[in-house]
Amino acid sequence: MGKLIVGKSLENRLDAYIREFAPAGNISYVVMQFNDGEEPILIAAKGEHTVHSGASMIKVLIMEYVFYLARIDQLNLNDAVSLSRTPRVEGGGALQELTGKHSFTYLELCRLMMVLSDNWATNLLIMTLGMENINARAEQLGLDDLELNRMMMDFEASSEGRENRLTAMSLARLYHHIFEHRDRDAYGHEMWNILGRQQFRDILPFYWGEDVCFHHKTGSLDCVEHDGGVLETFSGHFCFVLLMSGIGNVRAKELGARVGRSMKEFVEEALP
């Protein structure tokens, strides 16, 4: 995949931010342009093939697999799953405030997993669908660097080295797949809309304003902050992915906000 020469000025600006805010951090980013029916155009990138902890970004893959199964009639989005199928977990989301007597449909679980980053909803989907099957779907999509290896909030697995993994490039390619399907059927349209209702906007879109539509997902662990998705502009659709590891969370969010502002300004003002 070739890279636009004009994107070098954006790389220089982003790399200057990284040197200022996270000189010892592990920072990766990708900026691409998406056009219907065409291969993505790479504008800027750094460490795009570097493996990071997946955090909650792995949930994008889980959502895609749910809607893929629905599309091929292997799953009904309206079928219900009981909360009692997996233990309660803490962290992001709303289900932890409920008891195990409730049931939710696959569609509702996907919405909770993505919009509120609900960890219990995520674990229910992993348990029901099967971790091996989700990873097989990643392989089918050609996303060899995107891998689900543990449930959400499973710190024992994490301490043993069983961590969810991804790269900035693998996530960008997953977003391109979802982008390509956004108008093909109701399932693609629903995935696209779910991404557009993300409630956490404190990293890349921090300076953009609430009225700017960004179809994205965030992910956070101790010393890990990720954000990535597709921005709609008058100039077209642009994929921004930023993965930040080995940097304090407050510092990372400040860096991410500045990176997001520069990315948006560049694609709106500097590209032909």
Side-chain angles (χ1 to χ4, degrees):
M1 181 187 299
K3 186 188 298 184
L4 293 182
I5 296 177
V6 70
K8 186 62 179 178
S9 62
L10 175 60
E11 290 181 349
N12 291 338
R13 190 186 314 175
L14 300 184
D15 291 349
Y17 286 145
I18 293 170
R19 288 192 298 270
E20 177 185 355
F21 282 85
N26 183 12
I27 314 297
S28 301
Y29 62 78
V30 166
V31 179
M32 287 182 172
Q33 183 170 4
F34 289 170
N35 297 304
D36 288 308
E38 300 179 8
E39 279 295 305
I41 299 171
L42 183 60
I43 298 171
K46 174 185 175 67
E48 62 269 33
H49 299 295
T50 299
V51 176
H52 290 255
S53 168
S56 286
M57 308 301 283
I58 201 74
K59 296 172 182 177
V60 182
L61 172 64
I62 299 170
M63 176 186 70
E64 195 284 331
Y65 184 54
V66 170
F67 282 91
Y68 165 74
L69 291 177
R71 181 180 289 115
I72 63 173
D73 295 324
Q74 296 297 308
L75 179 149
N76 188 328
L77 291 174
N78 293 316
D79 285 348
V81 181
S82 171
L83 285 184
S84 62
R85 288 286 300 272
T86 61
R88 179 195 307 269
V89 291
E90 302 299 325
L95 294 187
Q96 60 184 291
E97 303 299 329
L98 306 178
T99 69
K101 298 179 181 179
H102 296 271
S103 294
F104 293 86
T105 66
Y106 284 102
L107 178 58
E108 290 169 332
L109 291 174
C110 275
R111 289 172 173 174
L112 287 163
M113 174 179 68
M114 298 300 296
V115 177
L116 297 177
S117 205
D118 195 291
N119 288 325
W120 199 354
T122 306
N123 284 353
L124 281 167
L125 290 172
I126 295 172
M127 179 68 69
T128 305
L129 302 174
M131 196 174 297
E132 299 82 0
N133 296 326
I134 296 169
N135 286 326
R137 176 59 178 165
E139 292 182 12
Q140 184 180 19
L141 293 171
L143 307 174
D144 296 333
D145 295 324
L146 209 163
E147 189 173 32
L148 176 67
N149 290 311
R150 66 170 178 84
M151 308 282 276
M152 299 300 107
M153 307 302 286
D154 187 347
F155 298 115
E156 180 179 349
S158 182
S159 68
E160 294 172 354
R162 288 183 283 125
E163 189 55 80
N164 300 326
R165 299 155 39 90
L166 53 74
T167 65
M169 183 59 73
S170 65
L171 187 60
R173 290 195 175 278
L174 176 57
Y175 277 125
H176 183 253
H177 171 77
I178 295 172
F179 170 80
E180 287 281 89
H181 284 78
R182 73 194 189 285
D183 292 326
R184 291 188 183 179
D185 55 31
Y187 304 111
H189 189 67
E190 177 64 20
M191 278 196 294
W192 187 245
N193 285 339
I194 288 174
L195 286 168
R197 296 199 299 273
Q198 171 62 238
Q199 293 195 5
F200 299 101
R201 295 176 61 91
D202 55 350
I203 304 180
L204 288 177
F206 180 79
Y207 289 116
W208 300 357
E210 293 294 326
D211 59 327
V212 174
C213 187
F214 188 37
H215 300 264
H216 70 126
K217 182 74 186 75
T218 62
S220 180
L221 292 169
D222 185 33
C223 293
V224 172
E225 292 289 347
H226 302 329
D227 196 357
V230 183
L231 171 68
E232 298 182 67
T233 75
F234 289 114
S235 304
H237 292 84
F238 297 90
C239 179
F240 300 160
V241 175
L242 176 64
L243 308 179
M244 300 177 286
S245 305
I247 173 176
N249 296 82
V250 173
R251 191 77 166 167
K253 288 186 177 182
E254 187 175 356
L255 170 60
R258 295 198 182 195
V259 166
R261 180 169 58 187
S262 292
M263 287 177 170
K264 182 173 182 292
E265 288 176 352
F266 183 84
V267 301
E268 291 181 336
E269 300 172 9
L271 293 182

